Amino acid sequence: MYSIAKVLIALGALIAPSIAFSGDMTWYYPGLGACGGLNGDSDAVVAMPLSQDGNCGKTIKISYNGKTATAQVVDKCPGCAGDNIDVSPGIFQEFTDLSIGTVQVTWEYV
């Protein structure tokens, strides 16, 4: 029999809001990612900082300047400090031109 505390903890985990992260978003040319898959420039993929290791296959929602996009975690980004992320050119171009290089975004797991 479940205790009331266990039920409340389980319900809290189900309805808890996502934690939003904030950092720089840059772009890279994907290929064979650390998660084992082969991806291309137009794929909706992201490389995560080492602090976010262990999230292969998860999806994140990225927000910038009133726009949002989702991307699947397929790679690690050893050069990404803090909560910075590296995305495919296809995802970056959903927000702005590649020539911009770096933008400040918020992102969360979905």
Side-chain angles (χ1 to χ4, degrees):
M1 184 166 167
Y2 287 101
S3 71
I4 292 176
K6 288 181 181 177
V7 171
L8 291 175
I9 291 169
L11 285 174
L14 290 174
I15 61 173
S18 295
I19 297 172
F21 299 89
S22 180
D24 289 341
M25 179 178 73
T26 53
W27 61 273
Y28 77 112
Y29 293 114
L32 180 59
C35 298
L38 186 61
N39 298 283
D41 297 352
S42 62
D43 293 332
V45 296
V46 59
M48 302 300 285
L50 299 180
S51 64
Q52 295 290 327
D53 193 22
N55 291 306
C56 287
K58 291 187 179 178
T59 300
I60 67 167
K61 179 176 78 172
I62 306 162
S63 301
Y64 171 73
N65 205 23
K67 299 177 186 177
T68 62
T70 58
Q72 184 179 26
V73 177
V74 299
D75 207 352
K76 296 178 184 178
C77 178
C80 292
D83 294 323
N84 298 344
I85 57 174
D86 215 2
V87 299
S88 63
I91 288 293
F92 198 90
Q93 289 174 312
E94 288 190 35
F95 297 104
T96 191
D97 190 82
L98 295 179
S99 65
I100 301 299
T102 304
V103 293
Q104 180 76 29
V105 299
T106 58
W107 60 269
E108 61 188 279
Y109 290 99
V110 293

